[in-house]
Amino acid sequence: MLSRRHFLGASLATTVYAAGSFVPVWAQNAPNFGTPTLPRPGFSRMKLGNVELIALNDGITRRPLGEEFVKNAPLAEVRALLASQGLPTDYIDVPYTPFLVVAGARRILIDTGLGEFGGPTTGKLLENLRAAGLQAADIDTVLISHFHGDHINGLRNKAGELMFPKAKVMVPAAEHAFWMDDARMAAAPAGMKGAFENVRRTFATMPADTLVQFAAGTEVAPGIQSVAAYGHTPGHTLFELHSAGQNFFYVADLTNVPALFARNPDWAVTFDMDAEAARKVRREVFQRITASNAMLGGFHFPFPAFGRLAASGNGYAFQPAD
């Protein structure tokens, strides 16, 4: 188990929240670099065995690319890798894409986006859900990978109302224990207080019959297995879906933008709370996915955010589905 002391060290301060806001600084727009183009339509469907997966884009934010984004690589090297792929070198576009599993009568949403707490190019999940022919009230289960704001803020609106009124909200027990610990909150750096407050805003008053904690490694719904991938956060959890002999991995924030962190799995994004643990589990999971030729989807992957990985140099290249 990762230690409390480790997570309250300097690495914890990397996810900084703006004063008076539940939105991370990194999730706010950088207008000097223009506005990212959102996908239209903002949903994409894929069949997996007997179930359907729907990628639901919640939006994209654009942030300047500085020395801090990749913590253990020179900025010049980071820019060179982006340029080699025909990507901009002075900013990074960060997409947000939850996934919906449609399995018979079940409607299982994985992560929720920024909701009403992001900038103008985010908070598109419900709009894209409706465009795909579904309503928030159709969701019976919400699976949460970890408690960073871009994954949980869509659970409630600014008035505090639950946005998926009929859904059970299932969260990793290890993640819940960390963020709801009063001693950890008290000892956290000032820049992290907002993160702890945001978790409490989201979960502290959630009805007991709505909030369900699960242990990593357990089945959270028929055919959906939870997988511990601690490092990005203390309880960061992936979900592996099995149907009719086919597999799909939702890798959440195992890697941020794959053009950087799949190509170089040893690079550490600024948001990883335990960079070394995140690096190890990233390599382990990517090796497992490529060995099985499974489909995967990532929360910060370019839309449609699902596809396959192929070995490339020292890492992997993400190949989006057509």
Side-chain angles (χ1 to χ4, degrees):
M1 178 61 67
L2 299 167
S3 71
R4 172 190 173 204
R5 180 178 179 183
H6 186 98
F7 277 104
L8 293 179
S11 64
L12 186 60
T14 58
T15 306
V16 179
Y17 281 67
S21 173
F22 290 122
V23 183
V25 169
W26 55 267
Q28 300 182 28
N29 289 330
N32 291 343
F33 294 100
T35 301
T37 300
L38 302 185
R40 289 289 182 266
F43 67 92
S44 183
R45 302 179 188 272
M46 180 184 74
K47 289 291 291 182
L48 185 89
N50 298 321
V51 306
E52 183 180 44
L53 290 169
I54 306 177
L56 296 162
N57 182 252
D58 187 57
I60 303 172
T61 54
R62 182 165 289 179
R63 58 168 290 147
L65 177 60
E67 295 278 359
E68 83 293 338
F69 191 68
V70 182
K71 295 193 291 186
N72 60 342
L75 182 58
E77 189 173 338
V78 175
R79 285 178 167 159
L81 180 58
L82 291 170
S84 73
Q85 299 171 77
L87 297 171
T89 60
D90 53 357
Y91 64 82
I92 291 287
D93 277 349
V94 181
Y96 309 92
T97 303
F99 283 80
L100 180 68
V101 180
V102 179
R106 299 293 303 274
R107 306 289 185 268
I108 302 166
L109 180 66
I110 309 178
D111 287 332
T112 67
L114 283 157
E116 295 182 350
F117 299 90
T121 58
T122 67
K124 311 300 182 184
L125 172 63
L126 295 181
E127 172 187 329
N128 288 323
L129 182 66
R130 290 190 294 270
L134 295 155
Q135 303 294 324
D138 295 328
I139 307 301
D140 60 79
T141 305
V142 177
L143 303 178
I144 297 294
S145 63
H146 65 293
F147 284 7
H148 280 166
D150 52 330
H151 295 257
I152 65 173
N153 282 357
L155 284 169
R156 293 184 186 268
N157 60 19
K158 289 183 177 179
E161 298 165 330
L162 292 172
M163 300 309 294
F164 304 99
K166 298 181 180 179
K168 296 284 187 183
V169 178
M170 302 186 67
V171 304
E175 187 79 351
H176 189 271
F178 178 86
W179 291 102
M180 295 300 288
D181 186 281
D182 291 338
R184 288 188 173 110
M185 180 173 177
M192 279 300 297
K193 298 295 186 186
F196 280 91
E197 291 168 1
N198 191 48
V199 169
R200 282 159 171 73
R201 175 194 67 83
T202 304
F203 296 110
T205 62
M206 191 169 285
D209 61 350
T210 297
L211 184 64
V212 178
Q213 297 184 47
F214 63 85
T218 58
E219 188 177 60
V220 293
I224 303 179
Q225 191 84 10
S226 60
V227 179
Y230 304 160
H232 179 65
T233 66
H236 181 249
T237 298
L238 315 181
F239 299 102
E240 184 177 4
L241 174 61
H242 308 273
S243 180
Q246 298 184 41
N247 291 352
F248 172 83
F249 280 84
Y250 173 70
V251 298
D253 284 11
L254 185 73
T255 178
N256 201 273
V257 289
L260 294 176
F261 302 102
R263 291 297 183 106
N264 275 293
D266 298 324
W267 283 2
V269 71
T270 188
F271 320 125
D272 285 343
M273 292 171 66
D274 182 336
E276 179 58 17
R279 181 192 71 79
K280 288 180 179 178
V281 75
R282 182 160 46 247
R283 281 212 172 267
E284 290 169 2
V285 173
F286 281 173
Q287 184 176 19
R288 179 181 171 188
I289 290 173
T290 53
S292 64
N293 197 34
M295 294 288 291
L296 82 162
F299 190 72
H300 297 299
F301 283 21
F303 200 75
F306 54 73
R308 298 190 188 274
L309 282 181
S312 177
N314 185 47
Y316 303 90
F318 174 61
Q319 300 171 334
D322 293 333

